Amino acid sequence: SQQGEEDPQALSIQEGENATMNCSYKTSINNLQWYRQNSGRGLVHLILIRSNEREKHSGRLRVTLDTSKKSSSLLITASRAADTASYFCATLRSYNTDKLIFGTGTRLQVFP
Amino acid sequence: GAVVSQHPSWVICKSGTSVKIECRSLDFQATTMFWYRQFPKQSLMLMATSNEGSKATYEQGVEKDKFLINHASLTLSTLTVTSAHPEDSSFYICSARVETSGDEQFFGPGTRLTVL
């Protein structure tokens, strides 16, 4: 399978704590994207990091990319109950720029 | 941002019937749309790439005669699940790529299909 792996599969934290999710992938990529999905809903695009970038910030989100290890991490700082959702990484491969390959996802639960 | 809609949001049908799901880009034109399938608590699996004015490209293992895709205009792609069976019950999500925004894809809200 070309699907990426994410860990942990599930994460439970208290409001105010930081949440870190990791993503590993298998092929050379053009970019890596993170999405959020609330239960039974569509996906919301969070952030995109290109293969020549190492770190990117957007509000409370911080994404890192290590192409030598084929891995990425998403850090959510000062989490809120509203951050409760599933988070997926998705890669756009270098040799096929149309298809997004999704990771297995991390289910985040933030308790108030 | 760009908005993608899907209709219906949920559908229940009897085994053997066909179901059509629509995916529309509301405020932009999309030459390429994508159809994904998601089982409960699992990730999204790409089923096919829908190209306006041409045949869809299906991923390995996806039956093109069972999952008919039509991309008749720059704002509409349809997925028809033919002769649906209970194992086709799933969450179907479409997305559209906005060519002017680079590689970002915008996703529809999904359609929950339940086949009895």
Side-chain angles (χ1 to χ4, degrees):
Chain A
S1 169
Q2 294 299 309
Q3 193 172 41
E5 298 285 330
E6 287 184 60
D7 78 272
Q9 288 187 339
L11 180 61
S12 295
I13 58 175
Q14 295 290 134
E15 259 190 335
E17 294 180 341
N18 296 340
T20 299
M21 291 159 263
N22 302 296
C23 166
S24 61
Y25 55 92
K26 299 180 181 180
T27 64
S28 296
I29 63 171
N30 182 298
N31 65 59
L32 185 145
Q33 304 174 38
W34 285 91
Y35 289 84
R36 183 184 74 217
Q37 183 182 36
N38 290 84
S39 181
R41 307 287 293 275
L43 274 71
V44 174
H45 184 266
L46 295 177
I47 196 164
L48 180 153
I49 186 166
R50 302 198 182 279
S51 61
N52 60 354
E53 297 176 308
R54 292 295 167 259
E55 187 171 314
K56 206 162 183 180
H57 298 255
S58 176
R60 293 184 297 113
L61 306 180
R62 173 177 168 256
V63 169
T64 63
L65 179 64
D66 187 336
T67 53
S68 66
K69 295 181 179 178
K70 290 187 168 59
S71 68
S72 175
S73 68
L74 170 67
L75 168 67
I76 303 174
T77 60
S79 63
R80 305 166 182 168
D83 294 329
T84 295
S86 289
Y87 292 82
F88 296 93
C89 67
T91 54
L92 200 67
R93 291 181 288 188
S94 296
Y95 57 90
N96 187 326
T97 58
D98 269 351
K99 301 180 186 179
L100 277 179
I101 305 298
F102 280 83
T104 49
T106 295
R107 291 190 303 279
L108 174 66
Q109 175 84 51
V110 181
F111 291 99
Chain B
V3 179
V4 176
S5 71
Q6 279 184 243
H7 178 80
S9 55
W10 60 269
V11 57
I12 301 172
C13 69
K14 292 183 179 180
S15 188
T17 60
S18 294
V19 175
K20 181 185 284 188
I21 302 170
E22 294 185 347
C23 176
R24 292 183 185 272
S25 55
L26 297 186
D27 49 3
F28 66 99
Q29 293 183 330
T31 55
T32 305
M33 291 184 174
F34 304 88
W35 286 96
Y36 296 84
R37 182 174 182 175
Q38 184 180 32
F39 290 107
K41 296 186 179 180
Q42 293 190 25
S43 186
L44 280 74
M45 299 297 294
L46 180 64
M47 298 175 66
T49 303
S50 171
N51 301 295
E52 188 268 336
S54 65
K55 291 183 179 180
T57 304
Y58 290 82
E59 294 300 299
Q60 192 174 9
V62 178
E63 300 175 59
K64 61 181 181 180
D65 294 331
K66 179 160 187 66
F67 298 100
L68 300 179
I69 292 172
N70 183 278
H71 195 151
S73 77
L74 287 172
T75 59
L76 174 63
S77 175
T78 61
L79 168 68
T80 301
V81 183
T82 62
S83 187
H85 290 282
E87 57 265 29
D88 298 325
S89 298
S90 188
F91 194 53
Y92 293 88
I93 305 176
C94 72
S95 72
R97 186 162 60 87
V98 180
E99 299 191 9
T100 55
S101 72
D103 300 321
E104 185 175 347
Q105 288 187 22
F106 294 89
F107 285 78
T111 296
R112 173 77 57 194
L113 170 63
T114 302
V115 185
L116 303 177

